[in-house]
Short mmCIF file of all heavy atoms in Angstrom, two decimals:
data_model
loop_
_atom_site.label_atom_id
_atom_site.label_comp_id
_atom_site.label_asym_id
_atom_site.label_seq_id
_atom_site.Cartn_x
_atom_site.Cartn_y
_atom_site.Cartn_z
N SER B 96 95.68 51.16 23.12
CA SER B 96 94.24 50.96 23.08
C SER B 96 93.58 51.85 24.14
O SER B 96 94.26 52.57 24.88
CB SER B 96 93.90 49.49 23.35
OG SER B 96 94.28 49.11 24.66
N TYR B 97 92.27 51.80 24.20
CA TYR B 97 91.55 52.58 25.20
C TYR B 97 90.69 51.60 25.98
O TYR B 97 89.48 51.60 25.92
CB TYR B 97 90.73 53.68 24.54
CG TYR B 97 90.29 54.77 25.49
CD1 TYR B 97 91.23 55.70 25.95
CD2 TYR B 97 88.99 54.85 25.96
CE1 TYR B 97 90.85 56.70 26.84
CE2 TYR B 97 88.61 55.85 26.85
CZ TYR B 97 89.54 56.77 27.28
OH TYR B 97 89.17 57.77 28.17
N SER B 98 91.39 50.70 26.70
CA SER B 98 90.71 49.55 27.29
C SER B 98 90.28 49.77 28.73
O SER B 98 89.51 48.96 29.27
CB SER B 98 91.66 48.33 27.23
OG SER B 98 92.04 48.07 25.89
N GLY B 99 90.74 50.80 29.37
CA GLY B 99 90.30 51.07 30.74
C GLY B 99 91.07 50.30 31.79
O GLY B 99 92.08 49.65 31.51
N TRP B 100 90.56 50.40 33.01
CA TRP B 100 91.25 49.86 34.19
C TRP B 100 90.98 48.37 34.31
O TRP B 100 90.23 47.93 35.18
CB TRP B 100 90.77 50.58 35.45
CG TRP B 100 91.05 52.06 35.51
CD1 TRP B 100 91.16 52.93 34.48
CD2 TRP B 100 91.21 52.84 36.71
NE1 TRP B 100 91.39 54.19 34.93
CE2 TRP B 100 91.41 54.18 36.32
CE3 TRP B 100 91.18 52.56 38.07
CZ2 TRP B 100 91.60 55.22 37.22
CZ3 TRP B 100 91.37 53.60 38.98
CH2 TRP B 100 91.58 54.91 38.56
N GLN B 101 91.62 47.57 33.49
CA GLN B 101 91.42 46.12 33.56
C GLN B 101 92.63 45.40 32.99
O GLN B 101 93.52 46.01 32.39
CB GLN B 101 90.13 45.70 32.86
CG GLN B 101 90.00 46.16 31.41
CD GLN B 101 88.60 45.88 30.85
OE1 GLN B 101 87.84 45.12 31.43
NE2 GLN B 101 88.29 46.48 29.71
N SER B 102 92.65 44.09 33.19
CA SER B 102 93.83 43.32 32.81
C SER B 102 93.68 42.67 31.44
O SER B 102 94.68 42.36 30.78
CB SER B 102 94.14 42.25 33.86
OG SER B 102 93.05 41.35 33.98
N LEU B 103 92.48 42.45 30.98
CA LEU B 103 92.22 41.85 29.67
C LEU B 103 91.10 42.65 29.00
O LEU B 103 90.26 43.23 29.69
CB LEU B 103 91.75 40.39 29.81
CG LEU B 103 92.74 39.39 30.41
CD1 LEU B 103 92.05 38.03 30.60
CD2 LEU B 103 93.96 39.22 29.50
N ALA B 104 91.10 42.62 27.67
CA ALA B 104 90.03 43.34 26.98
C ALA B 104 89.85 42.76 25.59
O ALA B 104 90.81 42.29 24.97
CB ALA B 104 90.34 44.82 26.88
N ILE B 105 88.63 42.80 25.13
CA ILE B 105 88.30 42.44 23.75
C ILE B 105 88.21 43.74 22.95
O ILE B 105 87.69 44.74 23.45
CB ILE B 105 86.93 41.73 23.70
CG1 ILE B 105 86.99 40.38 24.42
CG2 ILE B 105 86.45 41.57 22.26
CD1 ILE B 105 87.71 39.28 23.67
N SER B 106 88.73 43.73 21.72
CA SER B 106 88.63 44.92 20.87
C SER B 106 88.29 44.50 19.45
O SER B 106 88.73 43.44 18.99
CB SER B 106 89.95 45.69 20.88
OG SER B 106 89.97 46.67 19.86
N ASP B 107 87.52 45.35 18.77
CA ASP B 107 87.27 45.09 17.33
C ASP B 107 88.33 45.78 16.47
O ASP B 107 88.19 45.84 15.25
CB ASP B 107 85.87 45.56 16.95
CG ASP B 107 85.71 47.07 17.07
OD1 ASP B 107 86.70 47.77 17.40
OD2 ASP B 107 84.60 47.57 16.83
N GLY B 108 89.34 46.31 17.09
CA GLY B 108 90.45 46.91 16.34
C GLY B 108 90.29 48.39 16.08
O GLY B 108 91.27 49.08 15.76
N SER B 109 89.07 48.93 16.23
CA SER B 109 88.85 50.32 15.84
C SER B 109 89.56 51.30 16.78
O SER B 109 89.82 52.44 16.39
CB SER B 109 87.35 50.63 15.80
OG SER B 109 86.78 50.44 17.07
N ASP B 110 89.87 50.90 17.99
CA ASP B 110 90.54 51.80 18.93
C ASP B 110 92.04 51.51 19.03
O ASP B 110 92.72 52.06 19.90
CB ASP B 110 89.92 51.68 20.33
CG ASP B 110 90.13 50.29 20.96
OD1 ASP B 110 90.14 49.30 20.19
OD2 ASP B 110 90.30 50.21 22.18
N LEU B 111 92.54 50.65 18.17
CA LEU B 111 93.93 50.21 18.31
C LEU B 111 94.88 50.95 17.37
O LEU B 111 94.53 51.27 16.24
CB LEU B 111 94.04 48.70 18.02
CG LEU B 111 93.15 47.79 18.88
CD1 LEU B 111 93.46 46.32 18.58
CD2 LEU B 111 93.34 48.09 20.36
N ARG B 112 96.07 51.20 17.87
CA ARG B 112 97.14 51.78 17.06
C ARG B 112 98.38 50.95 17.36
O ARG B 112 98.80 50.83 18.51
CB ARG B 112 97.35 53.24 17.45
CG ARG B 112 98.42 53.97 16.67
CD ARG B 112 98.35 55.48 16.91
NE ARG B 112 98.63 55.84 18.29
CZ ARG B 112 99.87 56.10 18.76
NH1 ARG B 112 100.93 56.03 17.96
NH2 ARG B 112 100.05 56.42 20.03
N LYS B 113 98.95 50.34 16.29
CA LYS B 113 100.12 49.48 16.50
C LYS B 113 101.33 50.32 16.89
O LYS B 113 101.56 51.40 16.33
CB LYS B 113 100.46 48.73 15.20
CG LYS B 113 99.94 47.29 15.19
CD LYS B 113 100.51 46.53 14.00
CE LYS B 113 99.37 45.96 13.20
NZ LYS B 113 99.82 45.00 12.19
N LEU B 114 102.11 49.83 17.83
CA LEU B 114 103.31 50.53 18.27
C LEU B 114 104.54 49.79 17.77
O LEU B 114 104.52 48.57 17.62
CB LEU B 114 103.35 50.60 19.81
CG LEU B 114 102.17 51.34 20.45
CD1 LEU B 114 102.26 51.25 21.97
CD2 LEU B 114 102.14 52.81 20.01
N ASP B 115 105.58 50.55 17.51
CA ASP B 115 106.86 49.95 17.11
C ASP B 115 107.83 50.09 18.28
O ASP B 115 108.39 51.17 18.50
CB ASP B 115 107.39 50.69 15.87
CG ASP B 115 108.73 50.12 15.41
OD1 ASP B 115 109.34 49.30 16.15
OD2 ASP B 115 109.17 50.51 14.31
N PRO B 116 108.02 49.02 19.06
CA PRO B 116 108.87 49.12 20.26
C PRO B 116 110.32 49.46 19.95
O PRO B 116 111.06 49.83 20.86
CB PRO B 116 108.76 47.71 20.88
CG PRO B 116 107.52 47.11 20.30
CD PRO B 116 107.41 47.68 18.91
N SER B 117 110.72 49.41 18.67
CA SER B 117 112.10 49.78 18.35
C SER B 117 112.28 51.30 18.32
O SER B 117 113.39 51.81 18.39
CB SER B 117 112.51 49.18 17.00
OG SER B 117 111.90 49.89 15.94
N LEU B 118 111.17 52.03 18.19
CA LEU B 118 111.26 53.50 18.13
C LEU B 118 111.29 54.14 19.51
O LEU B 118 111.99 55.14 19.71
CB LEU B 118 110.07 54.08 17.34
CG LEU B 118 110.08 53.86 15.83
CD1 LEU B 118 108.83 54.48 15.20
CD2 LEU B 118 111.33 54.49 15.21
N ALA B 119 110.51 53.60 20.43
CA ALA B 119 110.44 54.17 21.77
C ALA B 119 109.81 53.13 22.70
O ALA B 119 109.05 52.28 22.22
CB ALA B 119 109.60 55.46 21.76
N PRO B 120 110.10 53.17 23.99
CA PRO B 120 109.46 52.24 24.92
C PRO B 120 107.93 52.36 24.80
O PRO B 120 107.41 53.48 24.73
CB PRO B 120 109.94 52.72 26.29
CG PRO B 120 111.19 53.50 26.03
CD PRO B 120 111.02 54.11 24.67
N PRO B 121 107.22 51.23 24.76
CA PRO B 121 105.77 51.29 24.55
C PRO B 121 105.02 52.16 25.55
O PRO B 121 104.02 52.79 25.19
CB PRO B 121 105.34 49.83 24.67
CG PRO B 121 106.55 49.04 24.30
CD PRO B 121 107.72 49.84 24.78
N SER B 122 105.49 52.25 26.79
CA SER B 122 104.75 53.05 27.77
C SER B 122 104.70 54.53 27.39
O SER B 122 103.80 55.25 27.82
CB SER B 122 105.39 52.90 29.16
OG SER B 122 106.73 53.37 29.12
N THR B 123 105.64 54.98 26.56
CA THR B 123 105.60 56.40 26.15
C THR B 123 104.36 56.72 25.32
O THR B 123 104.00 57.89 25.18
CB THR B 123 106.85 56.79 25.32
OG1 THR B 123 106.93 55.94 24.16
CG2 THR B 123 108.12 56.67 26.14
N ALA B 124 103.72 55.68 24.77
CA ALA B 124 102.48 55.90 24.01
C ALA B 124 101.35 56.39 24.92
O ALA B 124 100.30 56.82 24.44
CB ALA B 124 102.05 54.63 23.29
N LEU B 125 101.56 56.34 26.22
CA LEU B 125 100.58 56.86 27.18
C LEU B 125 100.99 58.23 27.70
O LEU B 125 100.23 58.87 28.42
CB LEU B 125 100.43 55.90 28.36
CG LEU B 125 100.00 54.48 27.99
CD1 LEU B 125 99.96 53.60 29.23
CD2 LEU B 125 98.65 54.49 27.29
N GLY B 126 102.18 58.67 27.35
CA GLY B 126 102.67 59.92 27.92
C GLY B 126 103.18 60.86 26.85
O GLY B 126 102.41 61.45 26.09
N VAL B 127 104.50 60.95 26.78
CA VAL B 127 105.11 61.95 25.92
C VAL B 127 104.76 61.73 24.44
O VAL B 127 104.66 62.69 23.68
CB VAL B 127 106.63 61.98 26.16
CG1 VAL B 127 107.30 60.69 25.70
CG2 VAL B 127 107.27 63.19 25.52
N LEU B 128 104.54 60.48 24.03
CA LEU B 128 104.15 60.20 22.64
C LEU B 128 102.68 59.83 22.55
O LEU B 128 102.24 59.24 21.55
CB LEU B 128 105.00 59.07 22.07
CG LEU B 128 106.50 59.38 21.88
CD1 LEU B 128 107.20 58.20 21.19
CD2 LEU B 128 106.69 60.65 21.06
N GLY B 129 101.90 60.15 23.60
CA GLY B 129 100.50 59.79 23.59
C GLY B 129 99.60 60.97 23.86
O GLY B 129 99.93 62.11 23.53
N MET B 130 98.49 60.70 24.49
CA MET B 130 97.49 61.73 24.71
C MET B 130 98.03 62.94 25.47
O MET B 130 97.80 64.08 25.03
CB MET B 130 96.28 61.10 25.43
CG MET B 130 95.11 62.02 25.64
SD MET B 130 95.28 63.01 27.15
CE MET B 130 95.02 61.74 28.40
N PRO B 131 98.78 62.76 26.56
CA PRO B 131 99.28 63.96 27.25
C PRO B 131 100.23 64.79 26.37
O PRO B 131 100.14 66.02 26.34
CB PRO B 131 100.00 63.39 28.48
CG PRO B 131 99.37 62.05 28.70
CD PRO B 131 99.07 61.52 27.32
N GLY B 132 101.14 64.10 25.67
CA GLY B 132 102.05 64.81 24.78
C GLY B 132 101.31 65.54 23.68
O GLY B 132 101.62 66.70 23.34
N PHE B 133 100.29 64.89 23.14
CA PHE B 133 99.52 65.50 22.07
C PHE B 133 98.66 66.66 22.59
O PHE B 133 98.44 67.65 21.90
CB PHE B 133 98.66 64.46 21.36
CG PHE B 133 97.91 65.03 20.20
CD1 PHE B 133 98.59 65.63 19.13
CD2 PHE B 133 96.52 65.01 20.16
CE1 PHE B 133 97.89 66.18 18.06
CE2 PHE B 133 95.82 65.56 19.09
CZ PHE B 133 96.50 66.14 18.05
N THR B 134 98.19 66.54 23.82
CA THR B 134 97.45 67.65 24.45
C THR B 134 98.35 68.88 24.52
O THR B 134 97.94 69.99 24.17
CB THR B 134 96.99 67.24 25.86
OG1 THR B 134 96.07 66.14 25.74
CG2 THR B 134 96.31 68.39 26.57
N ALA B 135 99.59 68.67 24.95
CA ALA B 135 100.54 69.78 25.05
C ALA B 135 100.82 70.36 23.66
O ALA B 135 100.76 71.57 23.45
CB ALA B 135 101.84 69.28 25.68
N TYR B 136 101.11 69.49 22.72
CA TYR B 136 101.48 69.89 21.36
C TYR B 136 100.35 70.67 20.67
O TYR B 136 100.54 71.78 20.18
CB TYR B 136 101.83 68.62 20.59
CG TYR B 136 102.15 68.77 19.12
CD1 TYR B 136 103.47 68.89 18.69
CD2 TYR B 136 101.15 68.71 18.16
CE1 TYR B 136 103.77 68.97 17.34
CE2 TYR B 136 101.45 68.78 16.80
CZ TYR B 136 102.76 68.91 16.39
OH TYR B 136 103.07 68.98 15.05
N SER B 137 99.16 70.08 20.67
CA SER B 137 98.06 70.69 19.91
C SER B 137 97.57 71.97 20.59
O SER B 137 97.33 72.98 19.93
CB SER B 137 96.91 69.71 19.73
OG SER B 137 96.41 69.27 20.98
N GLY B 138 97.43 71.95 21.90
CA GLY B 138 96.94 73.14 22.61
C GLY B 138 97.95 74.27 22.56
O GLY B 138 97.60 75.42 22.33
N LEU B 139 99.21 73.94 22.75
CA LEU B 139 100.24 74.99 22.75
C LEU B 139 100.40 75.59 21.37
O LEU B 139 100.44 76.82 21.21
CB LEU B 139 101.58 74.42 23.23
CG LEU B 139 102.71 75.47 23.27
CD1 LEU B 139 102.44 76.52 24.33
CD2 LEU B 139 104.06 74.82 23.50
N LEU B 140 100.49 74.74 20.35
CA LEU B 140 100.79 75.28 19.01
C LEU B 140 99.56 75.86 18.32
O LEU B 140 99.67 76.85 17.61
CB LEU B 140 101.43 74.19 18.14
CG LEU B 140 102.75 73.63 18.71
CD1 LEU B 140 103.36 72.63 17.76
CD2 LEU B 140 103.74 74.74 19.02
N THR B 141 98.39 75.28 18.54
CA THR B 141 97.19 75.76 17.83
C THR B 141 96.57 76.96 18.52
O THR B 141 96.10 77.89 17.87
CB THR B 141 96.15 74.63 17.74
OG1 THR B 141 96.77 73.46 17.23
CG2 THR B 141 95.00 75.03 16.83
N ILE B 142 96.54 76.95 19.84
CA ILE B 142 95.89 78.05 20.57
C ILE B 142 96.94 79.00 21.16
O ILE B 142 96.83 80.20 21.05
CB ILE B 142 95.00 77.49 21.70
CG1 ILE B 142 93.95 76.54 21.11
CG2 ILE B 142 94.32 78.63 22.47
CD1 ILE B 142 93.20 75.73 22.16
N GLY B 143 97.97 78.43 21.78
CA GLY B 143 98.99 79.26 22.43
C GLY B 143 99.88 79.99 21.44
O GLY B 143 100.27 81.12 21.67
#
Side-chain angles (χ1 to χ4, degrees):
Chain B
S96 64
Y97 197 74
S98 302
W100 297 28
Q101 55 188 345
S102 61
L103 296 174
I105 295 285
S106 168
D107 65 2
S109 61
D110 65 326
L111 304 185
R112 181 168 64 89
K113 261 190 235 191
L114 299 175
D115 179 350
S117 74
L118 288 179
S122 61
T123 58
L125 302 177
V127 66
L128 294 185
M130 184 275 289
F133 183 59
T134 297
Y136 176 95
S137 59
L139 181 67
L140 300 183
T141 309
I142 302 169

